[in-house]
Amino acid sequence: MNYKDLFAEIAVQAAQIENLGEVAAYIPELQRVDPLKFGIHLTTLENENFGVGDYQEKFSIQSIAKVLSLTLAFDLEDDKLWRRVDVEPSGTPFNSLVQLEYEKGIPRNPLINAGALVICDILVSRLKNPKREFIEFVRKIAGNQAINYCQRTADSEKSTGYKNAALINLMKSYGNIHNDIDVVLDFYFHLCSIEMSCQELSQHFLFLAAGGINPLNNEKVISASKSKRINAIMQLCGFYDEAGEFSFRVGLPGKSGVGGGIVAIHPGQYSVAVWSPKLNQKGNSYKGMKILEFFTTRSESSIF
Amino acid sequence: MNYKDLFAEIAVQAAQIENLGEVAAYIPELQRVDPLKFGIHLTTLENENFGVGDYQEKFSIQSIAKVLSLTLAFDLEDDKLWRRVDVEPSGTPFNSLVQLEYEKGIPRNPLINAGALVICDILVSRLKNPKREFIEFVRKIAGNQAINYCQRTADSEKSTGYKNAALINLMKSYGNIHNDIDVVLDFYFHLCSIEMSCQELSQHFLFLAAGGINPLNNEKVISASKSKRINAIMQLCGFYDEAGEFSFRVGLPGKSGVGGGIVAIHPGQYSVAVWSPKLNQKGNSYKGMKILEFFTTRSESSIF
Amino acid sequence: MNYKDLFAEIAVQAAQIENLGEVAAYIPELQRVDPLKFGIHLTTLENENFGVGDYQEKFSIQSIAKVLSLTLAFDLEDDKLWRRVDVEPSGTPFNSLVQLEYEKGIPRNPLINAGALVICDILVSRLKNPKREFIEFVRKIAGNQAINYCQRTADSEKSTGYKNAALINLMKSYGNIHNDIDVVLDFYFHLCSIEMSCQELSQHFLFLAAGGINPLNNEKVISASKSKRINAIMQLCGFYDEAGEFSFRVGLPGKSGVGGGIVAIHPGQYSVAVWSPKLNQKGNSYKGMKILEFFTTRSESSIF
Amino acid sequence: MNYKDLFAEIAVQAAQIENLGEVAAYIPELQRVDPLKFGIHLTTLENENFGVGDYQEKFSIQSIAKVLSLTLAFDLEDDKLWRRVDVEPSGTPFNSLVQLEYEKGIPRNPLINAGALVICDILVSRLKNPKREFIEFVRKIAGNQAINYCQRTADSEKSTGYKNAALINLMKSYGNIHNDIDVVLDFYFHLCSIEMSCQELSQHFLFLAAGGINPLNNEKVISASKSKRINAIMQLCGFYDEAGEFSFRVGLPGKSGVGGGIVAIHPGQYSVAVWSPKLNQKGNSYKGMKILEFFTTRSESSIF
């Protein structure tokens, strides 16, 4: 595949796609972003790198961070993890309490908010200084000490995070949260506030395309088997109630965030990250999905 | 009706009914009550009084207090109240979040937990010192300065009240809670901790049998029209998911609490309160419902 | 109460209330009715009769007939009936399948469609010629041989009754329908097609105001105890998802139909029927509810 | 990969896995199958073939046929198809009516019963003689004239198919079924009754591993793009409420049936079919899933 030519096409394409959708409204800090921003960056297993647009600009990765917390928790807990969170698609909007109540406080999967909160609770139990140890884990994979939380975004989300507070209280009532609610929520809001650029994201997620090994420094992040399973979870659960649509159109495992970022993996080949702040009605980047569909269609690189 | 003879029969009957069910488990403090306690007390509009058993012993009235907070809020807000809470039966277990999410944070009625929390929020907005003013309102109706909150019960419920915290956070996310969550929950837990005896309860609720006027001192608590409407709400919503069963068997408007108390009203005739701590599977006093069914069957005093 | 003067006021009032809402759309035959029709008729236990407007004109009583089939089935089955249908309010729109699935094919109450279908199934099991025997039961209570099914309405409903077919098939899958589905549906659609005037309805339902005895001929329709229980069920379940609103505003047990009819009972006093074809969003007669609210407010005759 | 050695290991493994679960109970005809049957067959794109056990014995493919009807309907309708059925995972047990009602008669995806019924309705509209034309379409892909419906199984399912009748009536009430219900159900029950062996299944489904071309005769069944999209739908929706579990453990797109069959695809490599009649609690072959997990783990051939 000649990615260089394809990225030239993408630059043209990105300018032509109408910039529909709305910037996430429920976190005040996210409202401040320029809605016209657009970037995409690809990193291959051979460490070839291709970028277009604002691919070096940091943005709030939001729910994309849930893949990183899952990675750390899965590594620490092994299959014990699945006693407290399932691996099934949610089939309902991402914040829904209905299914959680029906299933007695066991979230459907670790990538919806409820599941990510359980993962945070596990990390709070496991780590001495959760916030510091987690960001160091992220920095180490990325080989990049500049990655950090954004305190303003974390504060902004905390001030309006009533649905997450409802979720975690409901799970606590079922005994599936072991630590103090405020501590877990604080960790969760920090985690979602991490800022990375498309370039950093595509390089960071490369280990999931490489069987758990970071090909940039040859360090093992997680076992090959766990790496595959994280990809399987992303494929089925990475896009709220639009996982089917993303699989259908793009055909790669991936994860989106309400900051407008999407990262996707082609096992054995590459990791790609895209950013465009306006979201469609299901809460995923409108232009980001369009561009990734264009990219896998032209490169014929759906996993299916 | 010769209530004296009937109460003699009730004493016999109460001893014969098997004391099935379980004392409420989710509030530690309620677990300490003697499960064999039983009392019933009737007050007629003519201020005749009849009691059997432990009718002078105070117990935690719990959700019965929701009728009192509704009374005060309805008096203060008039029909504006119904913008924030509906008057329909809930048709699902009393703590359910499902319907609340489906209906965008507007609770089905003021007697389920969610609705009572909204009523508390309204009173917190309206009153300068909510806890003090509310207990004074209760004492004034009852003509009884000895009625009070139980701090230990309020603390006990606060320490385990995660479902209520989930409910109020969910409603806050929909904009239907205006005050600080902790303040509203604290008020709510105090309200539920009020302790009264069957005698105090039946005398206190007499105003709802008397068109809003307290017949013991001739003071108006609420308008006749509002009094009728509160009775209508109790009839349809006073027994969690067993309102139909209570209407079917007992045939009076009433309200139960997980402390094992039930109060019921016959408009134009009397108010009756019963207490037996063991609850059936739907969360209502097992023996209390049996005795009230016996009472209305023998006295032929269903409103239907 | 001077009902004569009050009915004169009602005539004025009825002309002033805006005729909002929509005639039921889902049964083609019901669409043919004149939306301006209005009638009300009251029958007291002393057989005083008061009518205004089109109170002698027959209309399709629709779901009001469910009270009559319940009466017959309750009389035949006694408390065995409640093994197959509950007595709780539904708390969701009247055709909803959700709760039925959640509760394994046991309908919430006999006045929602699912429950009425179970009642029909029971009558099909119990009666040799269900359609003939049922209409004779109705005629006998009313003392009126002219009451009949409307074949065109029954056919019309059958041709579009897919939701009812869904409900009955779902219940059959849970084993709660014992007879052939087509036979039960045919009986159900006939039952709903019965035509009566407000005058006939108020006279017919008088037995529920009179403890189960038809005061016009002193014949017992059902026991006093069952009569009270049917009233209790109407109070909690007679108005789809607006039972609370009707209780709150009108304060009487009653039942509505999508033909625009409503019948209501004041135990010990009277039966009243009203008809206005335009329905509010919850499926109950818009003007009918307004007029009944006016009637009970002016006559101060809420049961609460 | 040396599949020959691996299949020898599978034979050993299959004998060691406990044969847990239950044969499908709700279709009487399926109850007659020998629960000890076990077969697996692999066909590679190079037309290498490997089989173990009862891989040449025909069984009822049941829901696996939904992939074939989807293939034909997608080919005929192109993207118009998605106006009537979505591509999202269902997240609830496979027969649930809840979500269907919530989403106004639009099924979540074409592989749950509701969606497959809509696909059948589309084929009934499109084909002159649906049953004959459909089986010919299947035979042509397979290059096998011996494939046929099983009339007894179709009759057996029809006699107990009340949940499917509920589903189709509900969708008809929303306007998403255009043909006569009995005709569509008859077609659906025939479709599910098709009988094939593991060998026939793995050869038949090879076109989905080969970009829509049947590699055995080089004929195009469907476009490459549509082939990928069908695989994406299988990945997310092929295993009722266990799609995540299958993805997580096996890591291939596939489809199961209550007859105990599972077919799975590795795009670009092979198609594999397994059969063991006992089902786990989610309705998928217990041993079939275990063996496929063993197979992809040993061959390291998850797509992730």
Side-chain angles (χ1 to χ4, degrees):
Chain A
M1 186 67 224
N2 187 331
Y3 289 123
K4 198 178 158 198
D5 291 355
L6 181 49
F7 266 66
E9 279 187 65
I10 283 175
V12 176
Q13 196 68 19
Q16 288 173 349
I17 296 171
E18 221 180 335
N19 194 21
L20 300 179
E22 297 293 335
V23 172
Y26 69 96
I27 305 174
E29 191 63 23
L30 293 185
Q31 288 272 51
R32 301 159 53 111
V33 78
D34 176 356
L36 298 179
K37 291 290 179 184
F38 171 80
I40 181 168
H41 190 271
L42 175 86
T43 307
T44 69
L45 252 60
E46 294 76 26
N47 201 15
E48 297 172 293
N49 286 276
F50 306 90
V52 159
D54 308 306
Y55 68 91
Q56 290 180 308
E57 188 164 330
K58 284 174 189 288
F59 58 92
S60 192
I61 69 169
Q62 292 291 318
S63 292
I64 298 172
K66 293 171 183 170
V67 180
L68 304 176
S69 51
L70 167 63
T71 300
L72 181 53
F74 195 8
D75 192 38
L76 293 169
E77 295 278 315
D78 295 324
D79 281 344
K80 287 199 308 290
L81 189 65
W82 312 118
R83 295 178 196 162
R84 293 184 56 192
V85 57
D86 205 344
V87 296
E88 298 300 330
S90 60
T92 40
F94 66 106
N95 264 326
S96 175
L97 289 145
V98 177
Q99 215 152 17
L100 190 57
E101 189 173 28
Y102 184 74
E103 299 180 308
K104 307 289 181 203
I106 304 296
R108 295 285 290 178
N109 65 66
L111 300 183
I112 50 171
N113 289 15
L117 286 163
V118 167
I119 297 292
C120 283
D121 182 61
I122 288 167
L123 292 177
V124 167
S125 294
R126 279 284 198 162
L127 306 177
K128 277 191 189 158
N129 186 330
K131 280 190 280 190
R132 205 187 58 210
E133 293 178 48
F134 184 75
I135 201 69
E136 281 169 3
F137 165 77
V138 172
R139 287 170 179 163
K140 195 180 159 209
I141 297 174
N144 182 338
Q145 292 299 312
I147 296 171
N148 215 340
Y149 304 117
C150 170
Q151 192 63 43
R152 274 196 326 215
T153 303
D155 291 347
S156 181
E157 192 157 357
K158 186 182 289 186
S159 71
T160 59
Y162 300 114
K163 275 220 171 169
N164 286 312
L167 287 168
I168 198 168
N169 273 289
L170 181 59
M171 292 189 290
K172 182 98 181 176
S173 79
Y174 285 112
N176 200 21
I177 293 292
H178 300 172
N179 297 286
D180 182 79
I181 281 173
D182 289 337
V183 172
V184 179
L185 279 177
D186 177 66
F187 181 44
Y188 174 80
F189 292 138
H190 273 83
L191 195 148
C192 291
S193 80
I194 291 174
E195 294 185 333
M196 294 173 79
S197 68
C198 288
Q199 185 172 30
E200 288 166 339
L201 268 176
S202 74
Q203 290 173 349
H204 192 289
F205 273 75
L206 204 54
F207 74 94
L208 288 172
I213 312 276
N214 181 344
L216 306 185
N217 60 13
N218 248 6
E219 284 193 15
K220 177 177 156 190
V221 177
I222 200 164
S223 74
S225 154
K226 282 177 181 153
S227 166
K228 286 175 190 176
R229 286 169 173 184
I230 291 168
N231 287 340
I233 292 170
M234 284 203 292
Q235 185 80 42
L236 269 78
C237 318
F239 293 84
Y240 310 125
D241 200 30
E242 205 172 36
E245 190 73 14
F246 190 80
S247 260
F248 187 83
R249 303 219 168 274
V250 177
L252 298 177
K255 182 74 197 87
S256 68
V258 292
I262 303 177
V263 64
I265 299 301
H266 193 133
Q269 300 197 15
Y270 61 74
S271 163
V272 60
V274 63
W275 174 46
S276 171
K278 285 192 176 180
L279 309 180
N280 65 20
Q281 290 192 319
K282 303 266 179 119
N284 300 306
S285 171
Y286 175 84
K287 190 182 270 193
M289 285 188 70
K290 290 279 183 201
I291 285 294
L292 285 176
E293 182 181 0
F294 178 80
F295 171 71
T296 57
T297 303
R298 292 303 291 264
S299 60
E300 295 185 354
S301 64
S302 151
I303 62 170
F304 299 116
Chain B
M1 186 67 222
N2 186 331
Y3 290 123
K4 198 180 158 195
D5 291 355
L6 181 49
F7 267 67
E9 279 188 65
I10 283 175
V12 176
Q13 195 68 18
Q16 289 174 348
I17 295 171
E18 222 180 335
N19 194 21
L20 299 180
E22 298 292 335
V23 173
Y26 69 96
I27 305 173
E29 190 64 23
L30 293 184
Q31 289 271 52
R32 302 159 55 112
V33 79
D34 176 357
L36 298 179
K37 291 290 179 184
F38 171 80
I40 181 169
H41 191 271
L42 174 85
T43 307
T44 69
L45 253 60
E46 295 75 27
N47 200 17
E48 295 172 293
N49 286 274
F50 306 89
V52 160
D54 308 307
Y55 68 91
Q56 291 179 309
E57 188 165 329
K58 284 173 188 287
F59 59 91
S60 192
I61 69 169
Q62 292 290 317
S63 292
I64 297 172
K66 293 171 184 170
V67 180
L68 305 176
S69 52
L70 167 62
T71 300
L72 181 52
F74 195 8
D75 192 40
L76 292 169
E77 295 279 314
D78 296 323
D79 281 345
K80 287 199 310 288
L81 189 65
W82 312 117
R83 296 179 196 162
R84 293 184 56 192
V85 57
D86 205 345
V87 296
E88 297 301 330
S90 59
T92 42
F94 66 107
N95 265 326
S96 176
L97 289 144
V98 176
Q99 214 152 17
L100 190 56
E101 190 173 29
Y102 184 73
E103 299 180 307
K104 307 288 182 204
I106 303 296
R108 294 286 289 177
N109 64 67
L111 300 184
I112 51 171
N113 289 14
L117 286 163
V118 166
I119 297 292
C120 283
D121 183 60
I122 289 167
L123 292 177
V124 167
S125 295
R126 277 285 196 161
L127 306 178
K128 276 192 189 160
N129 185 331
K131 280 190 279 190
R132 204 187 58 209
E133 293 179 49
F134 183 75
I135 202 68
E136 281 168 4
F137 165 76
V138 173
R139 286 169 179 164
K140 193 180 161 208
I141 297 174
N144 182 338
Q145 291 301 311
I147 296 171
N148 214 340
Y149 304 118
C150 171
Q151 191 64 42
R152 274 196 326 215
T153 303
D155 291 347
S156 181
E157 192 155 356
K158 187 182 289 186
S159 71
T160 60
Y162 301 114
K163 275 219 170 168
N164 286 312
L167 287 168
I168 197 169
N169 273 288
L170 181 59
M171 292 189 290
K172 182 98 180 174
S173 79
Y174 285 112
N176 200 20
I177 293 292
H178 300 172
N179 297 285
D180 182 78
I181 281 174
D182 289 336
V183 171
V184 179
L185 279 178
D186 178 66
F187 181 44
Y188 174 79
F189 292 137
H190 273 82
L191 193 146
C192 291
S193 79
I194 291 175
E195 294 185 333
M196 293 172 80
S197 68
C198 289
Q199 185 173 29
E200 288 167 339
L201 269 176
S202 73
Q203 290 173 348
H204 191 291
F205 273 75
L206 204 53
F207 75 94
L208 289 172
I213 311 275
N214 182 345
L216 306 185
N217 61 14
N218 249 5
E219 284 194 14
K220 178 177 157 189
V221 178
I222 200 164
S223 74
S225 154
K226 282 176 181 154
S227 167
K228 286 176 191 176
R229 286 169 173 184
I230 291 169
N231 287 340
I233 292 170
M234 284 202 291
Q235 185 81 42
L236 270 78
C237 319
F239 293 84
Y240 309 127
D241 200 30
E242 205 171 34
E245 190 72 14
F246 190 81
S247 260
F248 187 82
R249 303 219 168 274
V250 178
L252 298 178
K255 181 74 198 86
S256 69
V258 293
I262 303 177
V263 65
I265 298 301
H266 194 131
Q269 300 197 13
Y270 60 75
S271 163
V272 60
V274 62
W275 173 45
S276 170
K278 286 193 175 179
L279 309 180
N280 66 20
Q281 291 192 317
K282 304 264 178 120
N284 300 306
S285 172
Y286 175 83
K287 190 182 272 195
M289 285 189 69
K290 290 280 184 199
I291 285 295
L292 285 176
E293 181 180 1
F294 177 81
F295 171 72
T296 57
T297 304
R298 292 304 290 265
S299 60
E300 295 187 352
S301 64
S302 150
I303 60 170
F304 299 117
Chain C
M1 185 68 222
N2 186 331
Y3 289 124
K4 198 178 158 197
D5 291 356
L6 181 50
F7 266 67
E9 279 188 65
I10 284 176
V12 176
Q13 195 67 19
Q16 289 173 349
I17 295 171
E18 221 181 336
N19 194 21
L20 299 179
E22 298 291 335
V23 173
Y26 69 96
I27 305 174
E29 190 64 23
L30 293 185
Q31 290 270 52
R32 301 159 54 111
V33 78
D34 176 356
L36 298 179
K37 291 290 179 183
F38 171 79
I40 181 169
H41 190 270
L42 174 86
T43 306
T44 68
L45 252 61
E46 294 74 28
N47 200 17
E48 296 172 293
N49 286 275
F50 306 90
V52 160
D54 307 307
Y55 69 91
Q56 290 181 308
E57 188 165 328
K58 284 173 189 287
F59 58 92
S60 193
I61 69 169
Q62 292 290 319
S63 293
I64 297 172
K66 293 171 183 170
V67 180
L68 304 176
S69 51
L70 167 62
T71 299
L72 181 52
F74 195 9
D75 192 38
L76 293 169
E77 296 278 314
D78 295 324
D79 281 345
K80 288 200 308 289
L81 189 65
W82 312 117
R83 297 178 196 162
R84 293 183 58 191
V85 57
D86 205 344
V87 296
E88 296 301 330
S90 59
T92 42
F94 65 106
N95 264 326
S96 174
L97 289 145
V98 176
Q99 215 153 17
L100 191 56
E101 190 173 29
Y102 184 74
E103 299 180 308
K104 307 290 182 201
I106 303 296
R108 295 285 289 177
N109 65 66
L111 300 183
I112 51 171
N113 288 15
L117 286 162
V118 167
I119 297 292
C120 283
D121 183 60
I122 288 167
L123 292 178
V124 167
S125 295
R126 278 284 197 161
L127 306 178
K128 278 191 188 159
N129 186 330
K131 280 190 279 191
R132 206 187 56 211
E133 292 178 51
F134 183 75
I135 200 71
E136 281 170 4
F137 165 77
V138 173
R139 287 168 179 163
K140 194 179 159 210
I141 297 174
N144 183 337
Q145 292 300 312
I147 296 172
N148 214 342
Y149 303 118
C150 170
Q151 192 62 44
R152 273 196 326 214
T153 302
D155 292 347
S156 181
E157 193 157 355
K158 187 182 288 187
S159 71
T160 58
Y162 300 115
K163 275 220 171 169
N164 286 312
L167 287 169
I168 198 169
N169 273 288
L170 181 60
M171 291 190 289
K172 182 98 180 175
S173 79
Y174 285 113
N176 200 20
I177 294 292
H178 300 172
N179 297 284
D180 183 79
I181 280 174
D182 288 337
V183 172
V184 179
L185 279 178
D186 178 65
F187 181 44
Y188 175 80
F189 291 138
H190 272 82
L191 195 146
C192 291
S193 79
I194 290 175
E195 293 185 334
M196 293 172 82
S197 68
C198 288
Q199 184 172 30
E200 288 166 339
L201 269 175
S202 75
Q203 290 173 349
H204 191 291
F205 272 75
L206 204 53
F207 74 96
L208 289 172
I213 312 276
N214 182 344
L216 305 185
N217 60 13
N218 249 6
E219 284 193 15
K220 177 179 157 188
V221 177
I222 201 163
S223 73
S225 154
K226 283 176 180 154
S227 167
K228 286 175 191 176
R229 286 169 172 185
I230 291 169
N231 287 341
I233 293 170
M234 285 203 291
Q235 185 81 43
L236 270 77
C237 319
F239 293 84
Y240 310 126
D241 200 30
E242 205 172 34
E245 189 73 12
F246 190 80
S247 260
F248 188 83
R249 301 217 169 276
V250 178
L252 298 177
K255 182 75 198 87
S256 69
V258 292
I262 303 176
V263 64
I265 299 301
H266 194 131
Q269 300 197 14
Y270 60 74
S271 163
V272 61
V274 63
W275 173 46
S276 170
K278 286 193 175 180
L279 310 180
N280 66 20
Q281 290 191 319
K282 303 268 179 117
N284 300 305
S285 171
Y286 176 82
K287 190 183 272 195
M289 285 188 71
K290 290 279 184 202
I291 285 294
L292 286 176
E293 182 181 0
F294 178 80
F295 171 71
T296 56
T297 304
R298 292 304 289 263
S299 60
E300 294 185 354
S301 64
S302 150
I303 62 171
F304 299 117
Chain D
M1 185 69 223
N2 186 329
Y3 288 123
K4 198 179 158 197
D5 291 355
L6 181 49
F7 266 67
E9 277 188 66
I10 283 176
V12 176
Q13 195 68 19
Q16 289 173 349
I17 294 171
E18 221 180 333
N19 194 22
L20 299 179
E22 299 291 334
V23 172
Y26 69 96
I27 305 174
E29 191 64 23
L30 292 184
Q31 289 271 50
R32 300 158 56 110
V33 78
D34 177 356
L36 298 178
K37 290 291 181 185
F38 172 79
I40 181 168
H41 190 271
L42 175 85
T43 305
T44 68
L45 252 60
E46 294 76 28
N47 200 17
E48 295 171 295
N49 286 274
F50 306 90
V52 159
D54 307 307
Y55 68 91
Q56 291 179 308
E57 188 165 329
K58 283 173 188 289
F59 60 92
S60 192
I61 69 169
Q62 292 291 316
S63 292
I64 298 172
K66 293 170 184 170
V67 180
L68 304 176
S69 52
L70 167 62
T71 300
L72 181 52
F74 195 8
D75 192 38
L76 292 169
E77 296 279 314
D78 295 325
D79 281 345
K80 288 200 309 289
L81 189 65
W82 313 116
R83 296 178 197 163
R84 293 184 56 192
V85 58
D86 204 344
V87 296
E88 297 301 329
S90 59
T92 41
F94 65 107
N95 264 326
S96 174
L97 289 145
V98 177
Q99 215 152 17
L100 191 56
E101 190 173 28
Y102 184 73
E103 299 180 308
K104 308 288 180 203
I106 303 296
R108 294 286 290 176
N109 64 67
L111 300 183
I112 50 170
N113 288 15
L117 286 163
V118 166
I119 298 291
C120 283
D121 184 59
I122 288 167
L123 291 177
V124 166
S125 295
R126 278 285 198 162
L127 306 177
K128 276 190 188 159
N129 186 330
K131 280 191 279 190
R132 204 187 57 210
E133 292 177 51
F134 183 75
I135 201 69
E136 281 169 4
F137 166 76
V138 173
R139 287 169 179 163
K140 194 179 161 210
I141 297 174
N144 183 338
Q145 291 300 310
I147 295 171
N148 214 341
Y149 303 118
C150 171
Q151 191 63 43
R152 273 196 327 215
T153 303
D155 292 347
S156 182
E157 193 157 356
K158 186 182 289 185
S159 71
T160 60
Y162 300 114
K163 275 220 170 171
N164 285 312
L167 287 168
I168 198 169
N169 273 288
L170 182 59
M171 292 189 290
K172 183 98 179 173
S173 79
Y174 285 112
N176 200 20
I177 294 293
H178 300 171
N179 297 284
D180 183 79
I181 280 174
D182 289 336
V183 172
V184 178
L185 278 178
D186 178 66
F187 181 44
Y188 175 80
F189 291 138
H190 273 82
L191 194 146
C192 291
S193 81
I194 291 175
E195 293 186 334
M196 293 172 80
S197 68
C198 288
Q199 185 172 31
E200 288 167 339
L201 269 176
S202 75
Q203 290 173 349
H204 191 291
F205 273 75
L206 205 52
F207 75 94
L208 289 173
I213 312 276
N214 181 345
L216 307 185
N217 61 13
N218 249 7
E219 285 194 14
K220 177 178 157 190
V221 178
I222 200 164
S223 74
S225 154
K226 282 176 180 154
S227 167
K228 285 176 192 177
R229 286 169 172 184
I230 292 168
N231 287 341
I233 292 170
M234 284 202 291
Q235 186 80 41
L236 270 78
C237 318
F239 293 85
Y240 310 127
D241 199 30
E242 205 172 35
E245 189 73 13
F246 190 80
S247 259
F248 186 82
R249 302 217 168 276
V250 178
L252 297 178
K255 182 74 198 86
S256 69
V258 292
I262 303 177
V263 65
I265 299 301
H266 194 132
Q269 300 198 14
Y270 60 76
S271 163
V272 61
V274 63
W275 173 46
S276 170
K278 286 192 175 179
L279 309 180
N280 64 20
Q281 290 193 318
K282 304 267 180 119
N284 301 305
S285 172
Y286 175 83
K287 190 182 271 194
M289 284 188 71
K290 290 280 184 200
I291 285 295
L292 286 176
E293 182 181 0
F294 178 80
F295 171 72
T296 56
T297 304
R298 292 304 290 264
S299 60
E300 294 184 354
S301 62
S302 149
I303 61 171
F304 299 118

